[in-house]
Amino acid sequence: RALNEIIRQDMLQKEYLCITAGRPPEGVHEAYLRHFEKNNKVHVQSLAAPGYKKIITQVQVLKTCGPYSLCRIGLITGRTHQIRVHMEYIGHPLFNDERYGGDRILKGTTFSKYRQFVENCFRLMPRHGLHARSLGFVHPTTGENVHFESEMPDDMRSVVERWRNYVAGRESTGE
């Protein structure tokens, strides 16, 4: 019960890593989200409205590799699909997120080598590019700070490395 109360009151400190399309603007982003339970769809908009809850997402770009970035995301609020839909709303969907637009080959390129490279990365990581890096809270009984961390999964690390090598290879050949 006490843990449920911590979750309900947004008292969890949550940090994520994600791969986004493009380089999102850093800082704190606010919007309003509504979750439609009937079809499990989520809508985000800039203005408050009945049925919409405020969402606050903190974005820090850790590195950019060509058309993608690795970001640290801090959740100030925690809503259903918040990171996925908020990043899509600001124009930077998560890599390979078919629900929120990150599964498309971005920038409209038709170069077959590039398309093949991206499709190979999608196969390497057949899920959206999001990882729960850490979780922390004050223990409801002992009052101690509790903190858990998780390393970036191998599939996500491999995709980041492949993008880094792809960009380095293009730079060395002058493309």
Side-chain angles (χ1 to χ4, degrees):
R1 274 193 177 150
L3 192 53
N4 285 340
E5 191 60 27
I6 288 171
I7 293 167
R8 193 172 13 267
Q9 292 183 19
D10 285 327
M11 294 171 57
L12 288 174
Q13 295 94 40
K14 299 170 267 190
E15 183 179 287
Y16 294 81
L17 294 175
C18 68
I19 302 172
T20 64
R23 183 182 175 91
E26 293 188 289
V28 176
H29 301 274
E30 296 182 6
Y32 295 87
L33 177 146
R34 182 168 183 187
H35 181 219
F36 298 92
E37 305 235 355
K38 201 179 263 186
N39 60 6
N40 199 29
K41 297 283 183 181
V42 178
H43 182 257
V44 174
Q45 61 187 40
S46 60
L47 300 174
Y52 284 75
K53 295 179 179 179
K54 188 172 192 174
I55 57 172
I56 307 170
T57 308
Q58 185 175 18
V59 177
Q60 177 187 8
V61 177
L62 301 175
K63 71 170 78 167
T64 298
C65 295
Y68 291 94
S69 295
L70 176 65
C71 301
R72 185 195 71 76
I73 304 292
L75 284 183
I76 310 303
T77 56
R79 311 275 185 234
T80 301
H81 297 198
Q82 178 176 327
I83 295 171
R84 296 168 67 193
V85 74
H86 206 172
M87 296 309 292
E88 188 264 341
Y89 179 72
I90 64 172
H92 300 277
L94 300 187
F95 181 80
N96 206 14
D97 188 348
E98 63 183 36
R99 185 172 207 162
Y100 297 108
D103 63 331
R104 293 185 216 109
I105 308 288
L106 301 177
K107 304 295 181 197
T109 185
T110 56
F111 298 115
S112 61
K113 273 183 146 179
Y114 175 75
R115 181 177 297 278
Q116 174 97 34
F117 175 79
V118 174
E119 288 171 353
N120 286 339
C121 287
F122 285 169
R123 279 191 289 280
L124 180 64
M125 190 175 73
R127 62 182 182 87
H128 53 270
L130 181 64
H131 169 65
R133 182 173 180 220
S134 68
L135 173 71
F137 58 93
V138 175
H139 193 281
T141 306
T142 66
E144 290 181 56
N145 283 324
V146 180
H147 189 80
F148 301 95
E149 289 204 13
S150 174
E151 293 292 320
M152 187 186 315
D154 290 341
D155 62 347
M156 194 170 181
R157 187 181 313 279
S158 294
V159 165
V160 170
E161 185 65 19
R162 283 189 184 207
W163 275 107
R164 191 184 67 71
N165 291 339
Y166 179 83
V167 170
R170 290 186 50 145
E171 290 171 354
S172 69
T173 61
E175 288 184 44

